[in-house]
Amino acid sequence: MSQIATTPVQTQVARIRSPFAFRLRRGKGRGKLYVGTLIVGAIAVLAIFSRVIAPFDPITQDLTSQFLPPSHAHLFGTDQFGRDVFSRAVYAASLDLQIAFLGTLFCMLLGVSIGVVAGYFGGIVDLIAGRLIDVVTAIPGIVAIIALIAALGSSMLNLYIALAVTGWTAYARLARGEVIAAKNLQYVQASRALGYTNRRIVLRHILPNVITPPLLFWITDMVGTVLLVTALSYLGLGPQPPTPEWGAMISEAQPFMLMAWWVPLFPGLGIVIAGIGLGLLGDGLADFLRPEVG
Amino acid sequence: MRYLGGRCISSAIALLLVTFVVFFLVHLIPGDPVSVMLGQHATPSTVAALRHAMGFDQPLFGQYWLFMSKLFSGNLGDSISYQQPVFGLVLGRLQATLFLVAYSIVLSLLLAVPSALIAAVFREKPVDYALRMGFLVAIALPSFWIGTLLIYQFSLKIHLFPVAGYGDTFTGHLSSLFLPAFTLALGQWAILGRNLRSALIDVLQLPYVEFARMKGLRGSTVLFRHVLRTSLGSTVTIIGINLSFLIAGTVVVEHVFSIPGSGNLLVNAVFSRDYPIVQGVTLVYATLVILINLVTDFVYPALDPRVALT
């Protein structure tokens, strides 16, 4: 902390002028926030521009160049079909991040809706929502998803359905708790006294005030969902080969591990780096948005 | 006691609803579930026989009634690929899974308690930053990938542990399941370590700790007898809450290390379209999770007298 910043008057002036920019320079958790944004941004650029960035086609086989170790031509080497591991890992980033992003987005929309309605109306609605949450949390996540995919069949749509059906409960719990706390605050009572409809109170007044914790959890949830989705396709229940996908790449490479360690290594590193980036971003944002104590 | 009574009732309701979900699962199968299960080469008579055995020729409510009455006599139907009762099959395989879960909890505590103590005592020092970085990385590690790398390094290259399986004796289990348990423990280590670190830091700042130090107690006595004991209460709850997560983890790890556990049974059942097994494993796992959460609720007040549940 520089001397200027510790002077109360100066601090206040800076806060009034631009609280956001001030905290970005001085606030807690900004280091995590910067590094996390950088990592997630880099992976997002790789994912969005995968067609431009990947030097080779991810699916076309070239049996004359099997198991080439990492080199200038093939940054991460080649696999058992002579495909460029780097190109496949880049395409996989776009698929896995898309599933993690959209899958958790559906969970959040579903969970926040259920949680807000249950918290606001209470009574029988809350009771039913509570029992639903109990049932879904009782079945361990991946077991429920495997069971659903086993019944519905393995496809992208069914994967999204299974993710949404099993992943909404944490959002619902968070939103419900926040709404119950907000319900008795003066601004809600004031809007009731003004005769606003429930719909207007919930959507215009309560929702903006309770959405921060679910939004923060959303980022943390993506870390878990990347792991979940890659694990499912490792088990053979996700996107099917030859689609480039991190988990499937690792599972396909396993029999040849002693011959070519680079084929399973790099897709795994992709998962870990994406997870660390999202984890830092989530932690950093949480520190950043939390009201500063002391 | 009233709180715990309420928890018992809501657990029972959850269990009942789980049976409904598990029952309904086969009705999500597009088309005729019996033909799907038996494959293309089934004759119409075997299809009709299985349909009758599973009660599909009855109305939906009657089917659920049949399912529940069978369930209460411990009958979950017969596996299609193994031609054996599902209940026995799942329970038989459960031993390896539970051993793996217990083993990984022990390993994760052995890792998490010392690292949390070090991080809390040397707070904001390089070793604390290093450990917190470790927690962050460990949470992002995919178990199937780290498991694969561990097999490569410790089983294929230096032959320290078996590549796959469960072993026959207790020491055999310990050796065969070391790598899979360690794989699972890494993620748990991060969750428990993070939580215990912040619990320790909170307790270290309490006045009674300062008083114990002023009284002239040795630093280690204060740390282990007074601070650690108070902080471990929340760790028990975290283990309870994370058990569902851990059981989910065993499904993947059992597949990586080819352990004959119930998770592996589930994954193989999906590919052989053996729906009774999928139902059985789901039901048994959900029952386990519900029971464990209930037990955690009962154990926690006994461990931490400050929590008085009314």
Side-chain angles (χ1 to χ4, degrees):
Chain A
M1 272 276 175
S2 70
Q3 277 187 322
I4 298 170
T6 46
T7 319
V9 179
Q10 288 283 349
T11 315
Q12 252 180 352
V13 169
R15 277 214 175 140
I16 290 163
R17 203 169 57 206
S18 172
F20 189 78
F22 173 80
R23 286 170 68 193
L24 216 49
R25 262 184 286 119
R26 299 243 179 276
K28 209 177 151 225
R30 66 191 190 288
K32 285 183 198 167
L33 198 59
Y34 285 146
V35 179
T37 312
L38 204 70
I39 296 175
V40 174
I43 297 177
V45 167
L46 276 181
I48 293 165
F49 299 103
S50 51
R51 276 159 210 279
V52 189
I53 291 166
F56 294 90
D57 185 85
I59 292 170
T60 312
Q61 302 183 0
D62 175 9
L63 296 176
T64 58
S65 53
Q66 285 168 296
F67 296 125
L68 294 177
S71 65
H72 279 296
H74 298 283
L75 213 53
F76 293 173
T78 60
D79 67 2
Q80 64 274 26
F81 297 115
R83 298 172 299 196
D84 182 48
V85 176
F86 176 72
S87 304
R88 284 178 64 74
V90 167
Y91 271 91
S94 92
L95 180 63
D96 278 313
L97 289 189
Q98 185 192 325
I99 298 174
F101 181 82
L102 288 178
T104 47
L105 183 68
F106 295 144
C107 290
M108 181 173 63
L109 293 176
L110 190 64
V112 170
S113 315
I114 293 176
V116 167
V117 170
Y120 186 76
F121 291 103
I124 184 84
V125 183
D126 193 23
L127 198 73
I128 292 172
R131 296 291 81 80
L132 268 178
I133 292 175
D134 280 352
V135 178
V136 176
T137 41
I139 309 174
I142 200 167
V143 175
I145 293 178
I146 290 175
L148 278 172
I149 289 180
L152 295 170
S154 152
S155 74
M156 278 307 258
L157 178 68
N158 292 341
L159 179 63
Y160 280 121
I161 292 174
L163 284 174
V165 168
T166 56
W168 57 272
T169 51
Y171 295 99
R173 279 199 173 135
L174 275 173
R176 178 180 170 275
E178 290 285 322
V179 170
I180 287 176
K183 202 161 64 167
N184 296 318
L185 293 182
Q186 283 185 334
Y187 75 91
V188 179
Q189 291 178 338
S191 26
R192 262 210 211 102
L194 285 168
Y196 289 169
T197 58
N198 281 333
R199 192 187 141 123
R200 180 166 177 179
I201 297 173
V202 168
L203 292 180
R204 293 273 298 275
H205 298 276
I206 293 184
L207 197 61
N209 282 296
V210 300
I211 199 71
T212 312
L215 276 178
L216 284 176
F217 181 72
W218 183 28
I219 299 171
T220 319
D221 194 28
M222 273 191 245
V223 181
T225 307
V226 168
L227 293 179
L228 187 65
V229 169
T230 50
L232 278 173
S233 51
Y234 172 85
L235 295 175
L237 298 168
Q240 298 297 311
T243 313
E245 196 285 335
W246 285 332
M249 285 171 76
I250 294 170
S251 133
E252 276 181 83
Q254 231 171 1
F256 314 104
M257 204 160 40
L258 276 176
M259 239 186 297
W261 51 265
W262 52 88
V263 193
L265 183 76
F266 290 109
L269 278 180
I271 303 173
V272 176
I273 293 170
I276 293 173
L278 286 167
L280 283 171
L281 185 63
D283 281 3
L285 266 181
D287 287 348
F288 182 71
L289 293 175
R290 202 172 288 146
E292 283 194 44
V293 188
Chain B
M1 275 334 280
R2 237 180 106 190
Y3 170 78
L4 292 175
R7 287 286 297 124
C8 286
I9 292 168
S10 65
S11 299
I13 295 173
L15 201 55
L16 186 72
L17 290 173
V18 165
T19 62
F20 187 72
V21 170
V22 167
F23 160 77
F24 205 70
L25 196 66
V26 283
H27 292 277
L28 290 176
I29 303 168
D32 177 28
V34 175
S35 317
V36 173
M37 276 186 253
L38 288 176
Q40 291 175 335
H41 304 294
T43 60
S45 62
T46 51
V47 170
L50 185 65
R51 184 173 290 142
H52 181 70
M54 296 188 74
F56 282 133
D57 48 0
Q58 292 185 24
L60 205 60
F61 183 75
Q63 289 183 35
Y64 182 62
W65 184 252
L66 189 72
F67 177 80
M68 285 306 282
S69 52
K70 274 181 168 179
L71 191 64
F72 271 101
S73 52
N75 181 356
L76 281 167
D78 286 346
S79 151
I80 291 154
S81 47
Y82 293 86
Q83 300 288 340
Q84 279 177 35
V86 168
F87 198 58
L89 205 57
V90 175
L91 284 190
R93 298 288 197 95
L94 201 60
Q95 193 203 354
T97 304
L98 292 180
F99 197 104
L100 182 59
V101 168
Y103 198 178
S104 69
I105 290 177
V106 171
L107 283 183
S108 61
L109 279 174
L110 286 178
L111 291 169
V113 173
S115 47
L117 275 171
I118 294 171
V121 171
F122 300 100
R123 191 184 169 194
E124 307 292 328
K125 298 267 162 48
V127 63
D128 180 29
Y129 286 121
L131 280 169
R132 279 158 71 188
M133 194 64 213
F135 295 151
L136 190 77
V137 174
I139 282 183
L141 284 179
S143 59
F144 56 92
W145 180 66
I146 210 74
T148 305
L149 296 185
L150 288 174
I151 294 178
Y152 172 74
Q153 190 58 40
F154 294 103
S155 301
L156 296 177
K157 284 209 132 175
I158 60 173
H159 307 288
L160 201 62
F161 296 102
V163 178
Y166 174 47
D168 299 318
T169 56
F170 185 74
T171 44
H173 298 333
L174 282 184
S175 146
S176 301
L177 293 184
F178 180 78
L179 289 182
F182 181 75
T183 307
L184 281 172
L186 274 176
Q188 290 293 306
W189 166 69
I191 295 166
L192 296 180
R194 258 187 182 180
N195 177 267
L196 186 58
R197 176 187 169 274
S198 54
L200 284 168
I201 287 174
D202 287 347
V203 174
L204 276 169
Q205 286 164 348
L206 292 179
Y208 87 88
V209 177
E210 208 167 324
F211 176 69
R213 284 216 186 93
M214 285 190 335
K215 221 165 61 168
L217 290 181
R218 273 192 314 173
S220 58
T221 315
V222 175
L223 197 60
F224 291 105
R225 288 279 299 276
H226 298 284
V227 177
L228 185 61
R229 249 179 91 180
T230 321
S231 311
L232 274 175
S234 65
T235 307
V236 174
T237 329
I238 299 282
I239 292 177
I241 292 170
N242 270 300
L243 232 101
S244 154
F245 185 69
L246 196 59
I247 291 176
T250 60
V251 175
V252 181
V253 169
E254 281 175 15
H255 189 78
V256 177
F257 290 90
S258 318
I259 299 161
S262 36
N264 213 347
L265 188 70
L266 170 73
V267 174
N268 292 331
V270 173
F271 293 109
S272 54
R273 302 200 165 280
D274 200 338
Y275 292 104
I277 288 191
V278 175
Q279 286 180 304
V281 175
T282 311
L283 189 62
V284 168
Y285 277 13
T287 312
L288 263 179
V289 170
I290 291 173
L291 284 179
I292 289 161
N293 285 338
L294 197 61
V295 169
T296 317
D297 279 342
F298 275 93
V299 167
Y300 190 52
L303 282 177
D304 191 344
R306 287 172 301 176
V307 185
L309 302 170
T310 44

